[in-house]
Amino acid sequence: MKVVLEHVTKRFPNRDKKVKTEVTAVNDISFEIPDGKLIGLLGPSGCGKSTTLYMICGLQKLTEGRIFFGDEDVTELSPENRGVGLVFQNYALYPHMTVKQNIMFPLENLKGADKLTKDEMLERTLKVAKLVQIDELLERKPSELSGGQQQRVAIARALVKMPRVLLLDEPLSNLDARLRLQTREEIRRIQRETNITTVFVTHDQEEAMSISDQIVVMKLGVVQQMGVPQMVYNDPANLFVAKFLGTPPVNVFRGLIKGQALYIGNEKICDTPGVSDRGVYVGIRPEGFIFNPNGVLTCDFKNVEVMGGAISIVTGHADSESPIIRATVMDEVRIPEGTPSVKFDIKPNKLYVFDKETEERIYF
Amino acid sequence: MVDSKQQWKAWLYLSPAIVLLLVFTVWPIINTVRMAFLDNYSGLQAAGGETFSFGIENFTRVVKARRFIDCLRNTMLLCVLTVPISTMLALLIAVTLNSIKPLQKTLQTIFFLPYVTNSIAIGMVFAAMFNIVGSFYGTDRQLVTTAGIINNVINFFSTTFTGKEAMVNWINIGSAYRENIIVMTVYIVWNALPFKILILLGGLQSINKQYYDAARVDGTSRTRVFWRITVPLLSPMLAYVIITGFIGGFKEYTSIVGIFGENMGPANDRDRLNTMVGYIYDALENNNQGRASAAALILFGIILVVTLLNLYVSKKRVHY
Ligand SMILES: Nc1ncnc2c1ncn2[C@@H]1O[C@H](COP(=O)(O)OP(=O)(O)O)[C@@H](O)[C@H]1O
Ligand SMILES: [Mg+2]
């Protein structure tokens, strides 16, 4: 089921009752989720991801805009009539019911033509329990399960109604690091098997990048960029997106465009044909540095870090936004300790220039 | 563990509390058991040097006494009537209070007021309300005779719809047992509500809102949400409220005094509504400490059995 958001805005009355101004949690966002895809809704905490998800779900009413499932306008529909499954951040499993009862609960609510017999309910429960691999645990209470198992039960409960859209609100944030990796693969597998259009909310860019077909990057209630993860990573639309994606993060320098060329400090980095003179930020991905004694950029050498197969040259620069610049290089490099400075060439496709005022990308 | 050399310090600090407990709690309990098993024990006669033989005559006498059986029946009847009614009403009010936003705090305070009001005073007001004859100073400081407000209301509806005057003798001379019990039930329920509402409202407010969101996404009807989610998640509080309700109910006494005074019944039928605790007090007043102790132990036994029964049921029904 394709999901379309058109100019969706959500304003809340201020939590502090004395303040009259409203809080705009989501500000005029529009995007389209293709049928059967897994979309990662990504952004820092408080940027309106959950609010967006709850509006798609129907738990929150829209202040402005419309939401479509396929061609059907669902803006005014209540959650149960939208055919959505929602997995809460802390699962919200009913503690007094067994796993089986939890999963069966949504089915027992079905009315009229959709009403199922006890046997049909049981059959569907077992099927979905098998899908998420918890069919051994059906008689247990949620308190007798591990975090990862609870997560699966929550997903099973959301899936059992065969929803048109599956919504997951930070589903991995309560799991420890190893389980997180495992479970995210699991979610990917379940999504592939069921082919249900899925929206996955997270503030962890690595998580979103690794399992999403497409990511939507949000900031302060506004969509910054949407696209295939690798594409967004390689071609960020603004400084925020560039900084938000990637570990280790992008290195940011203060730079200058002068006479159609880019300068960091006194060093000319590259030509920028057609770009007028102005102050800029320069983002260089760690893998964008090429170690070269005759390179264009000179950095103060600090040390070399070897982590697994990757080698990082740690340096500093007077015009760097952060005290440390990290350059990952593939080849073995030998830089004697006490070397004052090192030089790099920059791969043009790993270098992004942003306007100093708007922080928007400058293409050239 | 505390260092054994330090332990005497712990005992030293505890000693004031221990001494008080020994004098005012432990010794009275032991003494109650002792007196209960000394046949026809009386404090006055004991002071006069009389001795009593060991036996269970206090118990056999109490159990056979018509008055005691009446007291037991009154107590049980009030328990069985008031605990379920007040619990259900409190649940209803708590759920309603929890679901409204404006004025919630104000209403909460209003519902809590009876809790901080003296129950004898409340009883007197209830007695006035249920009275069949009453009076107040009208304008010009003239004494106006009228019935209590309940009877006035009944009378108003009766005269408007049937044209006949109607008064119910709730508590006055000649009133019937059934009417007396109705009044007592209304009064006890009303008196018991605030505490129960407070506990249940607290319980409701501690239920994670996401359970309700989850239920909404699944299209759960309101009644199903109530019975399948709210009540089970509230069951520990419900169990607590019911158990303490029964314990309080078996100790019922002041509420009867509040309405009927020390007569414990309408003026023509003293002690008609007497309770177990009332029986114990009467026996004490008659210097019959042996029988009072026996009755107290019986009351204790009943409360123990009922509480164990409650706990047994709640083990099966209470979740977590
Ligand atoms: N019910 C609400 N009332 C007022 N403000 C809210 C409410 N829900 C969310 N907000 C505000 O909206 C913004 C976005 O919240 P949310 O969608 O939960 O962010 P995220 O899930 O991305 O962390 C936050 O600033 C938050 O304080
Ligand atoms: Mg959130």
Side-chain angles (χ1 to χ4, degrees):
Chain A
M1 184 63 49
K2 183 175 79 173
V3 177
V4 183
L5 280 75
E6 272 184 17
H7 301 290
V8 171
T9 295
K10 177 71 188 181
R11 283 187 285 270
F12 288 110
N14 207 300
R15 284 213 175 101
D16 182 357
K17 295 244 165 52
K18 285 178 202 111
V19 184
K20 281 281 174 284
T21 53
E22 291 181 321
V23 178
T24 307
V26 172
N27 193 358
D28 190 27
I29 63 172
S30 300
F31 61 86
E32 185 178 320
I33 303 169
D35 182 27
K37 295 288 184 213
L38 195 160
I39 295 295
L41 205 51
L42 177 63
S45 180
C47 73
K49 306 179 297 289
S50 297
T51 307
T52 307
L53 199 75
Y54 290 161
M55 285 192 291
I56 298 174
C57 172
L59 282 174
Q60 294 276 15
K61 287 220 169 317
L62 283 69
T63 312
E64 281 162 33
R66 308 221 70 82
I67 294 177
F68 298 87
F69 284 7
D71 294 326
E72 185 190 354
D73 186 343
V74 297
T75 314
E76 305 298 334
L77 283 186
S78 54
E80 71 266 25
N81 296 324
R82 291 191 185 195
V84 291
L86 177 62
V87 176
F88 288 89
Q89 186 168 349
N90 46 16
Y91 320 137
L93 297 175
Y94 306 119
H96 54 286
M97 298 185 198
T98 63
V99 168
K100 187 163 86 189
Q101 290 167 331
N102 261 290
I103 300 176
M104 217 158 16
F105 192 78
L107 296 178
E108 291 168 354
N109 291 324
L110 296 176
K111 286 191 271 292
D114 300 328
K115 213 170 160 65
L116 298 174
T117 67
K118 201 99 201 140
D119 286 340
E120 286 170 318
M121 283 188 215
L122 210 59
E123 196 191 314
R124 293 228 332 231
T125 304
L126 286 177
K127 204 172 128 206
V128 75
K130 274 216 176 63
L131 177 71
V132 300
Q133 300 174 346
I134 47 157
D135 40 329
E136 313 269 288
L137 310 171
L138 286 176
E139 298 306 326
R140 298 224 196 142
K141 291 270 179 72
S143 57
E144 298 162 344
L145 301 179
S146 70
Q149 291 168 332
Q150 290 184 28
Q151 176 64 268
R152 286 158 194 255
V153 178
I155 293 174
R157 187 177 65 179
L159 283 176
V160 75
K161 274 194 313 183
M162 302 185 200
R164 301 194 281 178
V165 179
L166 177 63
L167 306 166
L168 305 146
D169 190 3
E170 311 232 7
L172 308 179
S173 60
N174 285 346
L175 304 180
D176 61 53
R178 258 205 27 228
L179 256 178
R180 207 175 301 173
L181 273 175
Q182 245 178 47
T183 312
R184 92 186 178 201
E185 293 314 315
E186 192 70 357
I187 290 175
R188 180 80 259 209
R189 176 185 67 79
I190 294 165
Q191 197 273 329
R192 288 247 165 82
E193 275 180 36
T194 55
N195 219 18
I196 293 176
T197 310
T198 302
V199 184
F200 180 104
V201 163
T202 177
H203 62 263
D204 182 336
Q205 52 94 18
E206 221 181 310
E207 210 168 277
M209 303 263 289
S210 65
I211 72 165
S212 312
D213 292 313
Q214 292 192 29
I215 55 171
V216 177
V217 185
M218 290 182 69
K219 175 195 172 191
L220 295 173
V222 179
V223 173
Q224 304 293 309
Q225 195 171 0
M226 175 175 184
V228 177
Q230 204 54 42
M231 186 219 86
V232 178
Y233 177 81
N234 284 331
D235 198 9
N238 57 41
L239 183 61
F240 173 81
V241 176
K243 276 160 103 174
F244 200 73
L245 299 184
T247 32
V250 72
N251 301 291
V252 181
F253 297 85
R254 290 175 290 271
L256 205 64
I257 303 276
K258 213 164 58 188
Q260 315 230 340
L262 170 67
Y263 292 85
I264 295 176
N266 296 322
E267 293 173 301
K268 180 182 161 187
I269 305 299
C270 61
D271 289 321
T272 55
V275 183
S276 55
D277 294 359
R278 70 184 97 171
V280 293
Y281 287 113
V282 184
I284 305 173
R285 293 271 180 223
E287 68 274 22
F289 293 91
I290 304 164
F291 182 62
N292 180 354
N294 304 314
V296 292
L297 180 65
T298 313
C299 298
D300 310 324
F301 177 69
K302 291 195 160 133
N303 60 293
V304 174
E305 279 176 10
V306 182
M307 278 211 297
I311 297 157
S312 293
I313 304 175
V314 181
T315 60
H317 192 284
D319 284 322
S320 169
E321 282 283 282
S322 74
I324 278 179
I325 300 162
R326 207 174 278 278
T328 47
V329 289
M330 283 301 134
D331 321 306
E332 193 82 30
V333 285
R334 229 168 268 291
I335 305 169
E337 224 168 286
T339 309
S341 64
V342 286
K343 283 176 178 271
F344 297 104
D345 271 335
I346 310 296
K347 293 178 191 165
N349 62 339
K350 294 288 178 184
L351 175 143
Y352 321 114
V353 179
F354 306 98
D355 187 284
K356 191 144 214 158
E357 306 301 318
T358 63
E359 300 191 352
E360 288 300 315
R361 177 87 175 272
I362 300 170
Y363 292 92
F364 52 87
Chain B
M1 261 320 280
V2 186
D3 189 328
S4 60
K5 278 183 192 149
Q6 294 283 314
Q7 271 194 16
W8 68 270
K9 267 192 183 170
W11 287 110
L12 178 69
Y13 298 147
L14 282 172
S15 57
I18 290 177
V19 168
L20 286 175
L21 278 173
L22 283 175
V23 172
F24 291 107
T25 306
V26 178
W27 169 241
I29 290 174
I30 295 170
N31 205 18
T32 303
V33 177
R34 187 182 72 96
M35 290 188 295
F37 286 99
L38 289 176
D39 287 344
N40 295 314
Y41 180 91
S42 159
L44 211 59
Q45 290 165 1
E50 210 166 313
T51 54
F52 304 91
S53 61
F54 182 82
I56 56 162
E57 200 182 324
N58 288 325
F59 288 93
T60 49
R61 280 198 164 200
V62 165
V63 172
K64 279 188 194 146
R66 172 99 213 105
R67 264 169 45 75
F68 179 78
I69 302 298
D70 285 347
C71 291
L72 186 62
R73 186 202 53 209
N74 287 336
T75 312
M76 297 261 212
L77 185 62
L78 287 176
C79 260
V80 167
L81 283 173
T82 59
V83 174
I85 295 178
S86 63
T87 306
M88 278 191 286
L89 266 180
L91 182 60
L92 203 77
I93 294 170
V95 168
T96 315
L97 264 181
N98 193 38
S99 66
I100 52 173
K101 282 272 143 347
L103 293 180
Q104 193 189 45
K105 283 271 171 299
T106 320
L107 288 170
Q108 224 170 306
T109 312
I110 292 173
F111 276 107
F112 195 63
L113 272 180
Y115 195 69
V116 291
T117 313
N118 181 304
S119 48
I120 299 284
I122 299 172
M124 289 167 82
V125 173
F126 264 74
M129 283 164 59
F130 280 100
N131 222 327
I132 200 157
V133 282
S135 50
F136 66 92
Y137 285 106
T139 44
D140 309 333
R141 300 198 50 74
Q142 271 180 317
L143 201 61
V144 181
T145 307
T146 174
I149 186 165
I150 305 283
N151 269 324
N152 280 339
V153 170
I154 293 173
N155 198 28
F156 171 78
F157 280 107
S158 175
T159 41
T160 19
F161 291 112
T162 67
K164 271 185 271 179
E165 292 219 347
M167 293 270 180
V168 179
N169 190 350
W170 295 107
I171 53 173
N172 302 84
I173 291 184
S175 59
Y177 183 67
R178 197 186 59 173
E179 271 74 28
N180 297 165
I181 289 291
I182 291 175
V183 172
M184 284 321 304
T185 305
V186 171
Y187 168 66
I188 294 171
V189 165
W190 190 80
N191 217 0
L193 278 179
F195 176 71
K196 294 190 161 95
I197 292 174
L198 191 79
I199 298 287
L200 295 179
L201 195 60
L204 283 172
Q205 282 168 350
S206 68
I207 296 179
N208 191 336
K209 299 279 170 295
Q210 289 207 327
Y211 294 130
Y212 294 105
D213 280 344
R216 252 182 80 201
V217 176
D218 295 335
T220 321
S221 66
R222 274 169 158 274
T223 42
R224 251 175 78 80
V225 168
F226 180 76
W227 289 111
R228 293 292 304 275
I229 297 173
T230 304
V231 170
L233 290 178
L234 208 55
S235 55
M237 286 77 184
L238 280 170
Y240 175 75
V241 155
I242 289 172
I243 290 173
T244 52
F246 268 108
I247 293 174
F250 276 107
K251 297 197 297 186
E252 204 59 75
Y253 174 69
T254 31
S255 52
I256 317 279
V257 177
I259 302 261
F260 289 98
E262 284 191 60
N263 259 341
M264 303 297 277
N268 61 319
D269 193 357
R270 270 186 69 102
D271 288 340
R272 180 199 273 173
L273 292 165
N274 206 354
T275 60
M276 311 251 295
V277 171
Y279 179 90
I280 295 169
Y281 285 163
D282 289 347
L284 283 178
E285 258 177 26
N286 296 334
N287 255 308
N288 231 325
Q289 283 86 353
R291 223 166 293 168
S293 301
L297 287 185
I298 292 172
L299 178 60
F300 169 73
I302 292 174
I303 291 180
L304 187 69
V305 168
V306 169
T307 306
L308 287 178
L309 213 69
N310 268 322
L311 285 175
Y312 175 76
V313 174
S314 56
K315 263 242 172 59
K316 300 203 153 165
R317 298 256 155 227
V318 172
H319 305 285
Y320 313 80

